[in-house]
C-alpha cells in the first residue's frame, strides 16, 4: 500500500511535534548538606513545586550531601553546565571572583534574622546577586540557614580559649581573618570532608549552625559547643545563566514562582530546624552546650568586630556601608 507524500509528511510532523511536546527539561540541583536540613528540605520542596507548576515539563533532580560535587567542584560544574542549579553558602563566592558576598560572613554584622532579611529581601541583596551575571551565573534567591556556633574538643568560654586551635572554615577570607583575630589557625576544608578532618585531628574546632553540626554528626567528634551566634550562614540559589535564559519564557516564569514558594518555605523552617538539631545534640549527650555570659559574648564581639574594617578593601567599603544602612 502506498501513502500519499502529503500524508507521510503530516505523520512525520505529528510524531516530531509529539516528541517535542514530551521533551522534558532536567535541572540537576547539587548541594553539599544532608537532606534533613533547611537547604536540603527547601531543595526538595522546589523540585516538587517546579514539576507541579510546569505540568511535568521540568524535572528537578536533587543531589544532596556532596554526592555529585564538593564545594569547589560544584561551582565549576555550574559554570560548565554539568549542573544547572546550586545553593552554595554565601561564604563560597570569593574563589569565583565575587568577593562582595563575604560581607555576610562579617562577625556580628546582623543582630538577628530580621536584620538579615532587610538585606536579603531588599535592593542591597539584589545588587549583590546581580554581580554574579558577569560570571555566567544568575542569582535567584537567598535561603536562610542560621547563626553559627563555635565547637571544639576543648571548652571555649573566654576569648583566650580560642587561641592556638586549628579551625576548619569555609573558603572565605573574612572567616580566615575572623579566626586569626582570635589567635586561631584557619584551614579551608570542603564541607564534605569536615567530619573526617575533625575526627582525625587535622583540625580541632569549627563553626556552623546547629543544623549542619548535627546532620554531619559533628557532635560525635566535637566535645564542646559554645552558643556564640557570632556570624551568619545562608545561601544564594544560583543557576547557569545561559541555561536559564534559554528556557521558554512561560516555563521560566513557572520556575520563578516555584522558587518564590521554596524561598518562603526555606526561611520559614530554618529556625525550627536549627532548634531541633540543637535539641538532638543535647540529647545525644556527646557534646556539652555552653551559653556564654554577656561579658564573654561582649569580649568575643570586641575581638571580632575589627575584622569589618580590616576587610574593607576586600569586600568594598560601600558594600559594608550599604549593609550597615539597610540594617539600621
Ligand atoms: C559549610 O561548608 O560549612 C556550609 O557552607 C555547608 C552548607 O552548605 O551549609
Amino acid at each position: 500500500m502506498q501513502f500519499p507524500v502529503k500524508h507521510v509528511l503530516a505523520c512525520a510532523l505529528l510524531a516530531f511535534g509529539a516528541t517535542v511536546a514530551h521533551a522534558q527539561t532536567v535541572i540537576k540541583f547539587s548541594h553539599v548538606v544532608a537532606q534533613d536540613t533547611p537547604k536540603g528540605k527547601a531543595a526538595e520542596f522546589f523540585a516538587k513545586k517546579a514539576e507541579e507548576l510546569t505540568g511535568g515539563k521540568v524535572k528537578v533532580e536533587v543531589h544532596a550531601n556532596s554526592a555529585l560535587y564538593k564545594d569547589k567542584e560544584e561551582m565549576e560544574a555550574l559554570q560548565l553546565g554539568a549542573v544547572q542549579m546550586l545553593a552554595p553558602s554565601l561564604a563560597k563566592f570569593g574563589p569565583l571572583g565575587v568577593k562582595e558576598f563575604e560581607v555576610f560572613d562579617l562577625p556580628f554584622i546582623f543582630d538577628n534574622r530580621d536584620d538579615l532579611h532587610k538585606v536579603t529581601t531588599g535592593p542591597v541583596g539584589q545588587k549583590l546577586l546581580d554581580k554574579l551575571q558577569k560570571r555566567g551565573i544568575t542569582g535567584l534567591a537567598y535561603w536562610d540557614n542560621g547563626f553559627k556556633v563555635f565547637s571544639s574538643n576543648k571548652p571555649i568560654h573566654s576569648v583566650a580559649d580560642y587561641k592556638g586551635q586549628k579551625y576548619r572554615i569555609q573558603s572565605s577570607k573574612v572567616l580566615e581573618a575572623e579566626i586569626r583575630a582570635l589567635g586561631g589557625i584557619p584551614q579551608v576544608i570542603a564541607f564534605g570532608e569536615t567530619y573526617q578532618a575533625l575526627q582525625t585531628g587535622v583540625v580541632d574546632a569549627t563553626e556552623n549552625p546547629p543544623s549542619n553540626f548535627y546532620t554531619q554528626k559533628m557532635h560525635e567528634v566535637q566535645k564542646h559547643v559554645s552558643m556564640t551566634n557570632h556570624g551568619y550562614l545562608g545561601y544564594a540559589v544560583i543557576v547557569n545563566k545561559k541555561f536559564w535564559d534559554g528556557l521558554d519564557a512561560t516555563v521560566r516564569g513557572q520556575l520563578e514562582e516555584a522558587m518564590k514558594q521554596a524561598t518562603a518555605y526555606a526561611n520559614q523552617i530554618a529556625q525550627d530546624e536549627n532548634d531541633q538539631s540543637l535539641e538532638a545534640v543535647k540529647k545525644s549527650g556527646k557534646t556539652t552546650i555552653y551559653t556564654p555570659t554577656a561579658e564573654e559574648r561582649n569580649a568575643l564581639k570586641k575581638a571580632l568586630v575589627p575584622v569589618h574594617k580590616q576587610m574593607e578593601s576586600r569586600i568594598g567599603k560601600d558594600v559594608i556601608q550599604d549593609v550597615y544602612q539597610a540594617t539600621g
Side-chain angles (χ1 to χ4, degrees):
M1 192 166 69
Q2 282 226 322
F3 292 108
V5 174
K6 240 165 63 183
H7 181 80
V8 173
L9 267 178
C11 283
L13 275 175
L14 214 72
F16 177 68
T19 327
V20 169
H22 287 110
Q24 200 178 37
T25 301
V26 174
I27 295 182
K28 284 193 184 158
F29 186 163
S30 170
H31 68 81
V32 298
V33 296
Q35 227 165 339
D36 200 15
T37 54
K39 177 162 63 178
K41 287 188 173 175
E44 294 295 340
F45 182 103
F46 171 72
K48 203 163 154 270
K49 270 289 156 211
E51 286 179 37
E52 204 179 292
L53 294 180
T54 62
K57 284 195 188 119
V58 172
K59 178 165 175 50
V60 181
E61 291 175 5
V62 181
H63 301 270
N65 242 332
S66 311
L68 266 193
Y69 300 104
K70 292 183 184 159
D71 296 328
K72 192 166 158 282
E73 292 83 20
E74 70 173 19
M75 285 291 200
E76 286 159 9
L78 184 78
Q79 286 181 296
L80 292 171
V83 294
Q84 289 71 37
M85 188 174 280
L86 306 173
S89 101
L90 300 165
K92 292 178 182 167
F93 287 86
L96 202 74
V98 190
K99 302 165 191 162
E100 293 89 338
F101 275 96
E102 290 178 10
V103 72
F104 289 99
D105 300 334
L106 287 172
F108 294 101
I109 195 161
F110 305 112
D111 281 342
N112 49 48
R113 279 179 198 270
D114 285 347
D115 265 6
L116 163 82
H117 291 153
K118 284 180 195 153
V119 176
T120 53
T121 62
V124 179
Q126 188 54 50
K127 210 163 113 188
L128 288 169
L129 289 181
D130 292 346
K131 291 189 188 291
L132 295 168
Q133 297 276 343
K134 61 177 188 278
R135 304 284 165 207
I137 290 172
T138 300
L140 297 180
Y142 289 99
W143 284 359
D144 279 4
N145 189 337
F147 286 87
K148 294 175 289 185
V149 298
F150 272 116
S151 68
S152 170
N153 276 324
K154 290 190 203 148
I156 28 178
H157 298 183
S158 71
V159 173
D161 295 334
Y162 289 84
K163 213 171 163 178
Q165 298 201 58
K166 282 181 276 167
Y167 295 79
R168 176 271 165 175
I169 57 161
Q170 305 174 80
S171 57
S172 154
K173 294 289 177 208
V174 168
L175 299 181
E176 206 175 301
E178 170 197 278
I179 298 300
R180 292 209 190 280
L182 295 171
I185 304 139
Q187 195 165 330
V188 174
I189 294 177
F191 185 65
E193 291 164 6
T194 300
Y195 175 90
Q196 208 189 355
L198 290 166
Q199 189 189 34
T200 55
V202 169
V203 287
D204 313 303
T206 191
E207 55 163 19
N208 236 303
S211 60
N212 278 346
F213 186 80
Y214 179 66
T215 54
Q216 292 298 311
K217 298 190 175 21
M218 294 188 207
H219 59 290
E220 290 178 357
V221 289
Q222 292 278 264
K223 291 200 178 71
H224 300 276
V225 160
S226 190
M227 296 301 296
T228 45
N229 294 315
H230 58 281
Y232 173 76
L233 188 147
Y235 310 105
V237 188
I238 56 177
V239 281
N240 178 296
K241 178 170 158 46
K242 205 164 150 207
F243 165 79
W244 194 249
D245 292 348
L247 287 172
D248 168 83
T250 308
V251 168
R252 194 168 51 240
Q254 289 158 341
L255 291 176
E256 277 163 1
E257 175 57 26
M259 185 53 66
K260 201 169 137 199
Q261 293 184 29
T263 301
Y265 171 76
N267 297 352
Q268 180 209 318
I269 64 166
Q271 183 65 53
D272 255 19
E273 290 290 319
N274 276 296
D275 291 347
Q276 282 170 29
S277 289
L278 185 64
E279 276 312 305
V281 173
K282 277 185 194 159
K283 230 168 133 187
S284 77
K286 291 182 192 291
T287 311
T288 61
I289 314 277
Y290 179 74
T291 303
T293 63
E295 293 89 75
E296 283 166 349
R297 195 157 183 277
N298 277 339
L300 187 66
K301 193 167 175 177
K302 206 167 150 217
L304 290 178
V305 164
V307 172
H308 292 209
K309 186 115 194 86
Q310 208 181 318
M311 286 290 115
E312 259 177 19
S313 60
R314 176 165 173 91
I315 299 169
K317 198 173 173 177
D318 55 326
V319 177
I320 301 178
Q321 288 302 328
D322 280 354
V323 171
Y324 286 165
Q325 257 167 32
T327 55

